[in-house]
Amino acid sequence: MTRYTQAFEDMLRTYFLDFLELVEPGFVARVGVEGVLFSCHDEPAHWPAEERWDLGLLAEVLTRRGEWRTILVQVEAEAGDPSVLEEKLLGWYLRLAVEDREPERMIVVYLRGGKPGVSVRWIVDEVDGEELLRVPYLAFGLEECRAEDYLLKPQPLAWALAALMRPTRRSRAAHTRACLRRIAGWRC
């Protein structure tokens, strides 16, 4: 994990409910999120150190029914070989499921590259051509999203994410100023 992806995860912790709303509108209300707890990088302690270090943001969400649901968010600096990432995601999914913490959602955020916007992808585990398991995850490619669309959203996190996106009507410098103004409370 780079300092950059760590800083991004820290921002997601602060604005986690906004993040969930941006990725899957209506999810927070549907599930009835009452609170969120985040695991530290030394948790789960019984996992191998390398897996703990690679593991992204692991959130436990308390619902209005008093149930805890797990959400895994993996931040990737760049989109790489999807099979490598999906192998890691499947390993984490299975480890968490064995611990009775099967992820309600797995979300991958690509800071650079990846298909623009949010899309549903599937990890398919096969042996000898027979499908054993199919696990969905959401992929969110930031870089090529239309930045202006995110400046219009009501969530402050959307305005910060817009700074990482492609401006279509402004120069990069003018776009950066617009993002900073929006964050500061100005209408752009």
PDB file of all heavy atoms in Angstrom, residues 6 8 15 21 31 34 45 54 62 74 77 79 96 112 115 120 127 135-136 141 161 164 171 173 181:
ATOM      1  N   GLN A   6      -3.143   4.936   1.175  1.00  0.00           N
ATOM      2  CA  GLN A   6      -3.459   5.010   2.609  1.00  0.00           C
ATOM      3  C   GLN A   6      -4.218   6.292   2.927  1.00  0.00           C
ATOM      4  O   GLN A   6      -5.208   6.279   3.656  1.00  0.00           O
ATOM      5  CB  GLN A   6      -2.189   4.930   3.459  1.00  0.00           C
ATOM      6  CG  GLN A   6      -2.454   5.007   4.957  1.00  0.00           C
ATOM      7  CD  GLN A   6      -3.337   3.888   5.468  1.00  0.00           C
ATOM      8  OE1 GLN A   6      -3.035   2.729   5.261  1.00  0.00           O
ATOM      9  NE2 GLN A   6      -4.430   4.231   6.121  1.00  0.00           N
ATOM     10  N   PHE A   8      -6.047   7.941   0.863  1.00  0.00           N
ATOM     11  CA  PHE A   8      -7.370   7.798   0.261  1.00  0.00           C
ATOM     12  C   PHE A   8      -8.278   6.963   1.169  1.00  0.00           C
ATOM     13  O   PHE A   8      -9.436   7.309   1.387  1.00  0.00           O
ATOM     14  CB  PHE A   8      -7.243   7.160  -1.125  1.00  0.00           C
ATOM     15  CG  PHE A   8      -8.493   7.257  -1.935  1.00  0.00           C
ATOM     16  CD1 PHE A   8      -8.764   8.377  -2.691  1.00  0.00           C
ATOM     17  CD2 PHE A   8      -9.414   6.226  -1.927  1.00  0.00           C
ATOM     18  CE1 PHE A   8      -9.931   8.478  -3.439  1.00  0.00           C
ATOM     19  CE2 PHE A   8     -10.583   6.302  -2.657  1.00  0.00           C
ATOM     20  CZ  PHE A   8     -10.836   7.429  -3.411  1.00  0.00           C
ATOM     21  N   TYR A  15     -15.617   9.671   5.432  1.00  0.00           N
ATOM     22  CA  TYR A  15     -16.853   9.896   4.678  1.00  0.00           C
ATOM     23  C   TYR A  15     -17.434   8.577   4.167  1.00  0.00           C
ATOM     24  O   TYR A  15     -17.921   8.496   3.043  1.00  0.00           O
ATOM     25  CB  TYR A  15     -16.584  10.843   3.502  1.00  0.00           C
ATOM     26  CG  TYR A  15     -16.174  12.217   3.929  1.00  0.00           C
ATOM     27  CD1 TYR A  15     -14.831  12.597   3.934  1.00  0.00           C
ATOM     28  CD2 TYR A  15     -17.117  13.137   4.354  1.00  0.00           C
ATOM     29  CE1 TYR A  15     -14.447  13.860   4.341  1.00  0.00           C
ATOM     30  CE2 TYR A  15     -16.745  14.402   4.766  1.00  0.00           C
ATOM     31  CZ  TYR A  15     -15.409  14.755   4.762  1.00  0.00           C
ATOM     32  OH  TYR A  15     -15.033  16.006   5.161  1.00  0.00           O
ATOM     33  N   GLU A  21     -23.081   5.693  -0.479  1.00  0.00           N
ATOM     34  CA  GLU A  21     -24.180   6.305  -1.226  1.00  0.00           C
ATOM     35  C   GLU A  21     -23.773   6.625  -2.669  1.00  0.00           C
ATOM     36  O   GLU A  21     -24.581   6.487  -3.588  1.00  0.00           O
ATOM     37  CB  GLU A  21     -24.670   7.566  -0.509  1.00  0.00           C
ATOM     38  CG  GLU A  21     -25.978   8.089  -1.007  1.00  0.00           C
ATOM     39  CD  GLU A  21     -27.152   7.113  -0.847  1.00  0.00           C
ATOM     40  OE1 GLU A  21     -27.154   6.270   0.060  1.00  0.00           O
ATOM     41  OE2 GLU A  21     -28.084   7.201  -1.670  1.00  0.00           O
ATOM     42  N   VAL A  31     -30.319  -0.801   3.977  1.00  0.00           N
ATOM     43  CA  VAL A  31     -29.742  -1.648   5.023  1.00  0.00           C
ATOM     44  C   VAL A  31     -30.037  -1.072   6.406  1.00  0.00           C
ATOM     45  O   VAL A  31     -30.087  -1.804   7.385  1.00  0.00           O
ATOM     46  CB  VAL A  31     -28.218  -1.802   4.791  1.00  0.00           C
ATOM     47  CG1 VAL A  31     -27.534  -2.505   5.931  1.00  0.00           C
ATOM     48  CG2 VAL A  31     -27.970  -2.555   3.497  1.00  0.00           C
ATOM     49  N   GLU A  34     -26.673   2.090  11.051  1.00  0.00           N
ATOM     50  CA  GLU A  34     -26.708   2.834  12.318  1.00  0.00           C
ATOM     51  C   GLU A  34     -25.315   3.279  12.752  1.00  0.00           C
ATOM     52  O   GLU A  34     -25.180   4.245  13.469  1.00  0.00           O
ATOM     53  CB  GLU A  34     -27.313   1.959  13.419  1.00  0.00           C
ATOM     54  CG  GLU A  34     -28.731   1.528  13.154  1.00  0.00           C
ATOM     55  CD  GLU A  34     -29.753   2.520  13.631  1.00  0.00           C
ATOM     56  OE1 GLU A  34     -29.560   3.088  14.715  1.00  0.00           O
ATOM     57  OE2 GLU A  34     -30.738   2.735  12.915  1.00  0.00           O
ATOM     58  N   ALA A  45      -5.745 -10.634  13.317  1.00  0.00           N
ATOM     59  CA  ALA A  45      -4.401 -10.978  13.786  1.00  0.00           C
ATOM     60  C   ALA A  45      -3.954 -12.375  13.367  1.00  0.00           C
ATOM     61  O   ALA A  45      -2.764 -12.612  13.199  1.00  0.00           O
ATOM     62  CB  ALA A  45      -4.331 -10.846  15.308  1.00  0.00           C
ATOM     63  N   ASP A  54      -1.991  -6.269   2.641  1.00  0.00           N
ATOM     64  CA  ASP A  54      -2.649  -6.008   1.350  1.00  0.00           C
ATOM     65  C   ASP A  54      -4.128  -5.687   1.500  1.00  0.00           C
ATOM     66  O   ASP A  54      -4.712  -5.049   0.636  1.00  0.00           O
ATOM     67  CB  ASP A  54      -2.511  -7.213   0.422  1.00  0.00           C
ATOM     68  CG  ASP A  54      -1.135  -7.329  -0.201  1.00  0.00           C
ATOM     69  OD1 ASP A  54      -0.370  -6.355  -0.130  1.00  0.00           O
ATOM     70  OD2 ASP A  54      -0.828  -8.401  -0.756  1.00  0.00           O
ATOM     71  N   LEU A  62     -23.238  -1.666  11.440  1.00  0.00           N
ATOM     72  CA  LEU A  62     -24.349  -2.041  12.305  1.00  0.00           C
ATOM     73  C   LEU A  62     -25.646  -1.574  11.656  1.00  0.00           C
ATOM     74  O   LEU A  62     -25.784  -0.401  11.302  1.00  0.00           O
ATOM     75  CB  LEU A  62     -24.196  -1.400  13.687  1.00  0.00           C
ATOM     76  CG  LEU A  62     -25.316  -1.667  14.686  1.00  0.00           C
ATOM     77  CD1 LEU A  62     -25.407  -3.152  15.027  1.00  0.00           C
ATOM     78  CD2 LEU A  62     -25.111  -0.829  15.932  1.00  0.00           C
ATOM     79  N   GLN A  74     -11.333  -2.141  -1.384  1.00  0.00           N
ATOM     80  CA  GLN A  74      -9.942  -2.267  -1.799  1.00  0.00           C
ATOM     81  C   GLN A  74      -9.606  -1.094  -2.716  1.00  0.00           C
ATOM     82  O   GLN A  74     -10.244  -0.923  -3.751  1.00  0.00           O
ATOM     83  CB  GLN A  74      -9.720  -3.599  -2.537  1.00  0.00           C
ATOM     84  CG  GLN A  74      -8.304  -3.860  -2.937  1.00  0.00           C
ATOM     85  CD  GLN A  74      -7.389  -4.045  -1.731  1.00  0.00           C
ATOM     86  OE1 GLN A  74      -7.824  -4.459  -0.661  1.00  0.00           O
ATOM     87  NE2 GLN A  74      -6.127  -3.732  -1.905  1.00  0.00           N
ATOM     88  N   ALA A  77      -4.164   1.785  -6.754  1.00  0.00           N
ATOM     89  CA  ALA A  77      -3.610   2.977  -7.394  1.00  0.00           C
ATOM     90  C   ALA A  77      -3.862   2.939  -8.899  1.00  0.00           C
ATOM     91  O   ALA A  77      -4.199   3.957  -9.504  1.00  0.00           O
ATOM     92  CB  ALA A  77      -2.119   3.097  -7.105  1.00  0.00           C
ATOM     93  N   ALA A  79      -5.413   0.269 -12.282  1.00  0.00           N
ATOM     94  CA  ALA A  79      -6.041  -0.990 -12.693  1.00  0.00           C
ATOM     95  C   ALA A  79      -4.944  -1.862 -13.297  1.00  0.00           C
ATOM     96  O   ALA A  79      -4.215  -1.431 -14.176  1.00  0.00           O
ATOM     97  CB  ALA A  79      -7.140  -0.724 -13.712  1.00  0.00           C
ATOM     98  N   LEU A  96     -13.107 -14.478   5.338  1.00  0.00           N
ATOM     99  CA  LEU A  96     -14.128 -13.778   6.122  1.00  0.00           C
ATOM    100  C   LEU A  96     -15.386 -14.632   6.266  1.00  0.00           C
ATOM    101  O   LEU A  96     -16.004 -14.664   7.332  1.00  0.00           O
ATOM    102  CB  LEU A  96     -14.454 -12.429   5.490  1.00  0.00           C
ATOM    103  CG  LEU A  96     -13.345 -11.383   5.601  1.00  0.00           C
ATOM    104  CD1 LEU A  96     -13.589 -10.221   4.648  1.00  0.00           C
ATOM    105  CD2 LEU A  96     -13.207 -10.892   7.035  1.00  0.00           C
ATOM    106  N   ARG A 112      -6.584   5.193 -10.865  1.00  0.00           N
ATOM    107  CA  ARG A 112      -6.238   5.397 -12.281  1.00  0.00           C
ATOM    108  C   ARG A 112      -6.613   4.146 -13.055  1.00  0.00           C
ATOM    109  O   ARG A 112      -6.406   3.030 -12.590  1.00  0.00           O
ATOM    110  CB  ARG A 112      -4.744   5.669 -12.438  1.00  0.00           C
ATOM    111  CG  ARG A 112      -4.409   7.111 -12.131  1.00  0.00           C
ATOM    112  CD  ARG A 112      -2.953   7.433 -12.390  1.00  0.00           C
ATOM    113  NE  ARG A 112      -2.379   7.750 -11.085  1.00  0.00           N
ATOM    114  CZ  ARG A 112      -1.492   7.028 -10.441  1.00  0.00           C
ATOM    115  NH1 ARG A 112      -0.992   5.954 -10.974  1.00  0.00           N
ATOM    116  NH2 ARG A 112      -1.060   7.374  -9.261  1.00  0.00           N
ATOM    117  N   LYS A 115     -12.686   0.780 -15.810  1.00  0.00           N
ATOM    118  CA  LYS A 115     -13.869   1.281 -16.500  1.00  0.00           C
ATOM    119  C   LYS A 115     -14.448   2.446 -15.706  1.00  0.00           C
ATOM    120  O   LYS A 115     -14.609   2.348 -14.489  1.00  0.00           O
ATOM    121  CB  LYS A 115     -14.893   0.147 -16.609  1.00  0.00           C
ATOM    122  CG  LYS A 115     -16.146   0.514 -17.333  1.00  0.00           C
ATOM    123  CD  LYS A 115     -17.094  -0.678 -17.403  1.00  0.00           C
ATOM    124  CE  LYS A 115     -18.410  -0.259 -18.036  1.00  0.00           C
ATOM    125  NZ  LYS A 115     -19.375  -1.356 -18.032  1.00  0.00           N
ATOM    126  N   VAL A 120     -20.702  -3.659 -11.945  1.00  0.00           N
ATOM    127  CA  VAL A 120     -20.716  -4.933 -11.220  1.00  0.00           C
ATOM    128  C   VAL A 120     -19.820  -5.909 -11.970  1.00  0.00           C
ATOM    129  O   VAL A 120     -19.907  -6.039 -13.187  1.00  0.00           O
ATOM    130  CB  VAL A 120     -22.138  -5.521 -11.125  1.00  0.00           C
ATOM    131  CG1 VAL A 120     -22.121  -6.868 -10.405  1.00  0.00           C
ATOM    132  CG2 VAL A 120     -23.071  -4.560 -10.417  1.00  0.00           C
ATOM    133  N   VAL A 127     -13.145 -25.237 -11.165  1.00  0.00           N
ATOM    134  CA  VAL A 127     -12.209 -26.353 -11.130  1.00  0.00           C
ATOM    135  C   VAL A 127     -12.594 -27.291 -12.265  1.00  0.00           C
ATOM    136  O   VAL A 127     -13.762 -27.726 -12.347  1.00  0.00           O
ATOM    137  CB  VAL A 127     -12.252 -27.087  -9.766  1.00  0.00           C
ATOM    138  CG1 VAL A 127     -11.394 -28.342  -9.811  1.00  0.00           C
ATOM    139  CG2 VAL A 127     -11.800 -26.164  -8.650  1.00  0.00           C
ATOM    140  N   VAL A 135     -18.873 -14.799  -7.052  1.00  0.00           N
ATOM    141  CA  VAL A 135     -18.934 -13.748  -6.044  1.00  0.00           C
ATOM    142  C   VAL A 135     -18.932 -12.389  -6.750  1.00  0.00           C
ATOM    143  O   VAL A 135     -18.017 -12.083  -7.521  1.00  0.00           O
ATOM    144  CB  VAL A 135     -17.718 -13.837  -5.082  1.00  0.00           C
ATOM    145  CG1 VAL A 135     -17.764 -12.721  -4.056  1.00  0.00           C
ATOM    146  CG2 VAL A 135     -17.659 -15.195  -4.420  1.00  0.00           C
ATOM    147  N   PRO A 136     -19.936 -11.548  -6.470  1.00  0.00           N
ATOM    148  CA  PRO A 136     -19.969 -10.225  -7.100  1.00  0.00           C
ATOM    149  C   PRO A 136     -19.117  -9.212  -6.338  1.00  0.00           C
ATOM    150  O   PRO A 136     -18.894  -9.339  -5.138  1.00  0.00           O
ATOM    151  CB  PRO A 136     -21.444  -9.837  -7.007  1.00  0.00           C
ATOM    152  CG  PRO A 136     -21.901 -10.498  -5.742  1.00  0.00           C
ATOM    153  CD  PRO A 136     -21.120 -11.790  -5.652  1.00  0.00           C
ATOM    154  N   GLY A 141     -14.138   2.984 -11.212  1.00  0.00           N
ATOM    155  CA  GLY A 141     -13.019   3.633 -11.890  1.00  0.00           C
ATOM    156  C   GLY A 141     -13.195   5.137 -11.842  1.00  0.00           C
ATOM    157  O   GLY A 141     -14.151   5.675 -12.402  1.00  0.00           O
ATOM    158  N   LEU A 161     -13.547  13.602  -4.747  1.00  0.00           N
ATOM    159  CA  LEU A 161     -13.284  12.618  -5.803  1.00  0.00           C
ATOM    160  C   LEU A 161     -13.226  13.283  -7.170  1.00  0.00           C
ATOM    161  O   LEU A 161     -12.460  12.855  -8.048  1.00  0.00           O
ATOM    162  CB  LEU A 161     -14.355  11.532  -5.798  1.00  0.00           C
ATOM    163  CG  LEU A 161     -14.421  10.630  -4.576  1.00  0.00           C
ATOM    164  CD1 LEU A 161     -15.540   9.603  -4.727  1.00  0.00           C
ATOM    165  CD2 LEU A 161     -13.095   9.958  -4.303  1.00  0.00           C
ATOM    166  N   LEU A 164      -9.967  14.035  -8.758  1.00  0.00           N
ATOM    167  CA  LEU A 164      -9.209  12.941  -9.374  1.00  0.00           C
ATOM    168  C   LEU A 164      -9.747  12.562 -10.751  1.00  0.00           C
ATOM    169  O   LEU A 164      -9.174  11.727 -11.434  1.00  0.00           O
ATOM    170  CB  LEU A 164      -9.251  11.703  -8.474  1.00  0.00           C
ATOM    171  CG  LEU A 164      -8.692  11.869  -7.074  1.00  0.00           C
ATOM    172  CD1 LEU A 164      -8.964  10.616  -6.253  1.00  0.00           C
ATOM    173  CD2 LEU A 164      -7.213  12.177  -7.123  1.00  0.00           C
ATOM    174  N   SER A 171     -10.045  23.662 -17.919  1.00  0.00           N
ATOM    175  CA  SER A 171      -8.657  23.207 -17.883  1.00  0.00           C
ATOM    176  C   SER A 171      -8.431  22.494 -16.554  1.00  0.00           C
ATOM    177  O   SER A 171      -9.224  22.629 -15.615  1.00  0.00           O
ATOM    178  CB  SER A 171      -7.703  24.400 -17.992  1.00  0.00           C
ATOM    179  OG  SER A 171      -7.769  25.182 -16.803  1.00  0.00           O
ATOM    180  N   ALA A 173      -6.244  23.133 -14.246  1.00  0.00           N
ATOM    181  CA  ALA A 173      -6.058  24.128 -13.183  1.00  0.00           C
ATOM    182  C   ALA A 173      -7.405  24.741 -12.760  1.00  0.00           C
ATOM    183  O   ALA A 173      -7.690  24.871 -11.564  1.00  0.00           O
ATOM    184  CB  ALA A 173      -5.094  25.219 -13.637  1.00  0.00           C
ATOM    185  N   ARG A 181     -13.163  25.216  -4.424  1.00  0.00           N
ATOM    186  CA  ARG A 181     -14.253  26.143  -4.093  1.00  0.00           C
ATOM    187  C   ARG A 181     -15.487  25.388  -3.613  1.00  0.00           C
ATOM    188  O   ARG A 181     -16.145  25.796  -2.658  1.00  0.00           O
ATOM    189  CB  ARG A 181     -14.612  26.994  -5.309  1.00  0.00           C
ATOM    190  CG  ARG A 181     -13.640  28.080  -5.595  1.00  0.00           C
ATOM    191  CD  ARG A 181     -14.179  28.997  -6.701  1.00  0.00           C
ATOM    192  NE  ARG A 181     -13.107  29.789  -7.217  1.00  0.00           N
ATOM    193  CZ  ARG A 181     -12.636  29.734  -8.449  1.00  0.00           C
ATOM    194  NH1 ARG A 181     -13.170  28.916  -9.320  1.00  0.00           N
ATOM    195  NH2 ARG A 181     -11.648  30.486  -8.840  1.00  0.00           N
TER     196      ARG A 181
END
